[in-house]
Amino acid sequence: MIDPWASSSVDYDKLVNKFGIKKFSDILDDIDNPISLMKRGVIFGHRDFDKFIPLINEKKDFTVVTGMMPSGKMHIGHKMVVDQLKWYLDKGGKLSLPIADMESYGARDISFDEAKKIAITEYLSNYISLGLDLTDKNVFVYLQSELSLVKDLTFELSKKTNFNELKSIYGFTGSTNISHLYVPLVQVADILLPQIEEFGGPKHVVVPVGVDQDPHIKLTRDLSDRFKSKFGFIPPFSTYHRFLTGLTGGKMSSSEPKTAIFLNDTPEIAGKKVKSSKTGGRESLEEQKKLGGCPDQCVVYEMLVYHLIDSDEKLNEIYNDCISGTLLCGECKAMTGDLMKKFFEKLSEKQEKSLEIAKNLL
Ligand code: TRP
Ligand code: SF4
């Protein structure tokens, strides 16, 4: 069972084989202009994305849906979603962006007012600073709690969902609070919303998410079948990305500040955090020169792969220099820390203006 509210580490290969998630690398060659996250295996799995590729390549109408639960600070791992959304918008898609304030209230007891504040100051403003134009006419941002269409759809969906089904997906027990049953259905409604009449009727929808969200996706696809005759729903496609490793080696998590680089950190702090993170280096310099480092187990290298280096050639060079022992961790961390600092400098220049724009969105 994948638990969307747990924070344990994940064996991605197992997920691909066991849960019916397909390998993204098998379909990569069919995609026009894939982004680095796709080419580098960060996006590792999908459901039915192969059926979706011809549609984007031919520039057919589609909508991308992904949501954010406003429960804490936005960290650099969340940037992966933004990079993907930009790509889909460039491909001519529309974007529907729910803010899951009902989820943060139900699962984390965060009030609607607080959630709205977090959504604006942490998420929407950073999305804008990262280059996503949320004022575009093709973008629709909403708070779950304020959109009656999504709440009505949730109720409609509940008519064909039963308790045992939710229990087997999420492991609910007799003492589970009913809001925990309700919240996944709101998310299903978020994903199916673009297909209701008010939003133009049935259409192709893609959902790029972290793999912890797959239980919700599976439920969505099942429910879309059950409501096919009534609404004509087409089962949504999905992609799954890996989590960014935390600075100390586990998962990067907003609730554990030591593990994360936050987007509202200053450039200096962001750079310093890189320099103090866990590497794949050896015990001693001599050993590293002799045996080389392990970039595959290195948080610093992962930052380069996920966020900081566009050129595949340059990245390969670093990889090879690391495993051959010519590049040592001190130098590598200093270089990566500087890149991160520069990245944050650019981000912070935009922050004030982005915040003003974000305030007007909700
Ligand atoms: N549950 C998601 C999270 O924890 C947020 C979310 C709400 C979402 N609605 C969605 C994600 C619709 C994808 C699609 O971040
Ligand atoms: Fe990581 Fe760089 Fe050290 Fe290699 S040299 S282990 S990539 S920090």
Side-chain angles (χ1 to χ4, degrees), residues 65-69 98 100 103 144 187 190-191 207 209 213 216:
V65 178
T66 198
M68 59 178 100
M69 174 169 71
E103 182 175 1
Q144 288 174 333
Q187 178 157 347
D190 283 332
I191 299 172
V207 192
V209 278
Q213 300 295 305
H216 305 313

Side-chain angles (χ1 to χ4, degrees), residues 128-141:
I128 297 167
S129 297
L130 289 167
L132 189 68
D133 181 6
L134 293 178
T135 61
D136 189 293
K137 64 172 189 336
N138 285 329
V139 176
F140 176 56
V141 186

Side-chain angles (χ1 to χ4, degrees), residues 159-210:
K159 292 265 295 172
K160 289 188 195 249
T161 314
N162 70 46
F163 177 70
N164 280 340
E165 175 179 26
L166 293 185
K167 190 173 153 189
S168 73
I169 302 175
Y170 301 106
F172 295 147
T173 67
S175 58
T176 297
N177 177 320
I178 302 297
S179 73
H180 287 177
L181 276 75
Y182 193 81
V183 158
L185 283 185
V186 186
Q187 178 157 347
V188 173
D190 283 332
I191 299 172
L192 293 174
L193 189 75
Q195 298 198 54
I196 66 171
E197 212 182 302
E198 288 83 347
F199 289 90
K203 63 177 61 63
H204 296 105
V205 169
V206 60
V207 192
V209 278

Side-chain angles (χ1 to χ4, degrees), residues 279-281 288 293-295 298 300-301 318 322 327-329 332-333:
T279 71
Q288 183 146 354
C294 305
C298 176
V300 175
Y301 185 71
I318 295 172
C322 171
L327 178 66
L328 299 175
C329 295
C332 187
K333 279 204 268 191

Side-chain angles (χ1 to χ4, degrees), residues 5 65 67 96 98-104 106 112 142-158 161 166 170 178-194 213 216 219-220 223:
W5 296 285
V65 178
S96 184
I99 297 164
D101 61 344
M102 293 178 80
E103 182 175 1
S104 54
F112 290 145
Y142 64 92
L143 288 153
Q144 288 174 333
S145 70
E146 291 184 4
L147 190 69
S148 34
L149 283 173
V150 88
K151 290 188 279 191
D152 293 348
L153 183 56
T154 304
F155 184 68
E156 179 73 45
L157 295 169
S158 74
T161 314
L166 293 185
Y170 301 106
I178 302 297
S179 73
H180 287 177
L181 276 75
Y182 193 81
V183 158
L185 283 185
V186 186
Q187 178 157 347
V188 173
D190 283 332
I191 299 172
L192 293 174
L193 189 75
Q213 300 295 305
H216 305 313
L219 179 62
T220 307
L223 279 166

